[in-house]
Amino acid sequence: MSNSSRDTAEGAGWGSTERGSYRELMPQRTEKLSWLSPRTLWAARNGVLASWFGDPTGRTRARWTAQRTASGAPADRVIRRADPDRFSFLVVGDTGEGDDPQYAVVPGLLKAGQDTSFAVVASDVIYPVGSADDYGPKFFRPYRDYQAPIYAIPGNHDWYEDLGAFMRVFCDDARPLPPEPAPRPLTRAWLRNLLWHRPRPEDGRHLEEARAMRSAPVQQATQPGPYWAIDAGPVRIVGIDTGLLGTVDAEQGAWLREVSRAPGPKILITGSPLYVDGEHHPCPVEGGGTVDDIVRDPAHHYVAAIGGDIHNYQRYPVDVGGRTIQYVVAGGGGAFMHATHTIPRVSVAGVTEEDFRCYPLRGDSLAFYSRLYGRRLRLRRFFTLTEAEATAVITERLGIRPARAPRTDARVTRRTRLVAGLLGTGRRPDREKRFRLPVREIYTQLFSPSSATYSPPFFKCFLRLDVTPEAVRLRCHAATGNRAQELDPPVEDEVTIPLV
């Protein structure tokens, strides 16, 4: 097994000169998506409109699921597979930007996943707005050589065009929904409807051509709607759709409670993680309660909850009354990297830094962003930190032991401290309270979303889960874009989850 970022800087992808083969998989021309482009921001406006004028996704979701049930999909929305008691599957989240970081994941995913039974895309299959004609370069082409079915749950970006393309691709070419009656004039719903982004009339004209890239019988999968359960071997995998705003409507909440009562261990896959960045986000259910209430109920026997939306890897082993649930963030499948260096020292639900895991390591994240902004601001000499300098200043600010053995020649200077502060680096909780400057919040919300990059290391990742009747082994594999990590995808984190 190759070195990981926890072993060496080379294992993290630093210093490599041999780029991987992923570019051979890419189309000749690729879209370079910018999240600071006014055109992109305007196209992705539906999330803001939903938060201002009311969220219509629950009603739209109910119409989609009713249509699918009327077309013959199982009413309980359970996919019953014939997997043996021992099988493996992949989880990859937030994939579809269609550029170098997404394609850089593919060679390692194919290698580590060649014997897996299926894969699940956990949130945001297609950026920026889930358009049908983006499925060719951002879904069918990158995964054309994966010889197993792919299921998916939508993320907020898939909802920016009311989920029409997602349903066509994953739900047996679902028919468009009939138009609803127009809302009363001069109401909040009328104003939302007036400004709402909708697909172009010609969108989808290339979809059938794109489907040909994943047309083998072993690659086909049809799911009963945007949320579903999969019975596979000894586990039930439950996928929920958290829509535009990270919530669950009453109808889906009732379904979730019902499928969770079935006997046997379960794994939740959700578009919005329940623990992330050192905080608990239990995910409200319309009408009362939360998704995490359902997950924690011992009668439901959930052993893990895996969420996308945040573009990195994090794991929180939370004790819930004498048993442990692994809460995982798995959104590193291709979109721009959300920083981990902004995560303060972890202390949440009994989980401390000793228990917490993330990828990329905070020092690597800080070094990555220092290079990115040094180049963008043309201040390379000032902004750029080596990975050793970044690791040293992270260790000082958070008061933690470095995950990788530090270099003895790395010094923490005024410059490194200033750069770390400007880039939103987290602190210890006690210092967060004493020095409550909004630098980290400003950095995380304003600068991070524009941070695409086109040269390795990319710090992408995917999960492989190996299931037996006794346990699930979860491994997070890295994808840096360098040749060495393509040939033998490093394991950045591994945990065995008992099922008995």
Side-chain angles (χ1 to χ4, degrees), residues 236 255 278 295 302 314 322 332 335 367 371 429 431:
R236 171 168 280 189
W255 170 86
V295 169
Y302 278 92
Q314 302 173 43
R371 294 182 181 207
R431 294 194 175 185

Side-chain angles (χ1 to χ4, degrees), residues 261-346:
R261 292 189 188 106
K266 299 172 189 70
I267 297 170
L268 181 75
I269 300 182
T270 168
S272 300
L274 303 180
Y275 281 87
V276 60
D277 293 348
E279 298 175 346
H280 185 208
H281 297 270
C283 188
V285 176
E286 183 185 12
T290 68
V291 169
D292 203 26
D293 293 336
I294 299 170
V295 169
R296 288 168 176 256
D297 188 331
H300 296 158
H301 198 180
Y302 278 92
V303 298
I306 302 170
D309 190 50
I310 303 301
H311 307 163
N312 53 45
Y313 172 82
Q314 302 173 43
R315 180 169 63 84
Y316 301 81
V318 178
D319 184 284
V320 290
R323 60 193 181 92
T324 299
I325 297 176
Q326 300 289 341
Y327 290 88
V328 176
V329 178
F336 67 86
M337 187 190 87
H338 277 130
T340 58
H341 67 265
T342 58
I343 303 171
R345 179 168 170 159
V346 170

Side-chain angles (χ1 to χ4, degrees), residues 99 123 147 169 175 228 252 273 295 305 310 313 412 423 425 449 452 456 467:
D99 52 15
S123 179
Q147 299 299 310
V169 170
R175 303 182 310 278
W228 41 257
Q252 184 180 186
V295 169
I310 303 301
Y313 172 82
V412 179
L423 293 180
T425 305
V467 181

Side-chain angles (χ1 to χ4, degrees), residues 46-123:
N46 286 1
V48 175
L49 295 174
S51 65
W52 286 354
F53 304 117
D55 184 1
T57 55
R59 184 177 66 252
T60 306
R61 184 186 295 116
R63 297 176 69 212
W64 279 122
T65 55
Q67 183 197 87
R68 291 290 296 129
T69 302
S71 299
D76 61 2
R77 303 183 184 93
V78 177
I79 302 163
R80 293 173 172 86
R81 294 178 49 86
D83 297 295
D85 282 350
R86 298 174 183 272
F87 75 98
S88 304
F89 68 100
L90 300 174
V91 177
V92 56
D94 299 88
T95 53
E97 284 197 359
D99 52 15
D100 293 54
Q102 178 181 9
Y103 278 87
V105 176
V106 174
L109 182 147
L110 294 176
K111 187 173 181 64
Q114 58 187 340
D115 61 340
T116 52
S117 297
F118 58 90
V120 177
V121 178
S123 179

Side-chain angles (χ1 to χ4, degrees), residues 205-258:
R205 60 185 176 180
H206 302 297
L207 191 53
E208 287 309 310
E209 178 185 342
R211 286 183 192 273
M213 290 186 274
R214 277 189 54 84
S215 58
V218 295
Q219 295 175 310
Q220 303 313 300
T222 300
Q223 58 190 58
Y227 58 93
W228 41 257
I230 297 174
D231 283 345
V235 298
R236 171 168 280 189
I237 302 158
V238 179
I240 62 171
D241 169 19
T242 55
L244 281 171
L245 302 181
T247 59
V248 169
D249 62 281
E251 180 180 296
Q252 184 180 186
W255 170 86
L256 177 60
R257 291 185 177 94
E258 183 62 32

Side-chain angles (χ1 to χ4, degrees), residues 33-35 37-50 126-130 156-161 195-198 244:
L33 187 61
S34 170
W35 289 104
S37 162
R39 180 178 177 182
T40 301
L41 293 172
W42 178 242
R45 64 188 178 271
N46 286 1
V48 175
L49 295 174
I126 300 295
Y127 293 95
V129 293
N156 57 315
H157 289 269
D158 301 304
W159 268 102
Y160 287 161
E161 291 192 347
L195 298 173
W196 200 251
H197 171 81
R198 292 177 177 83
L244 281 171

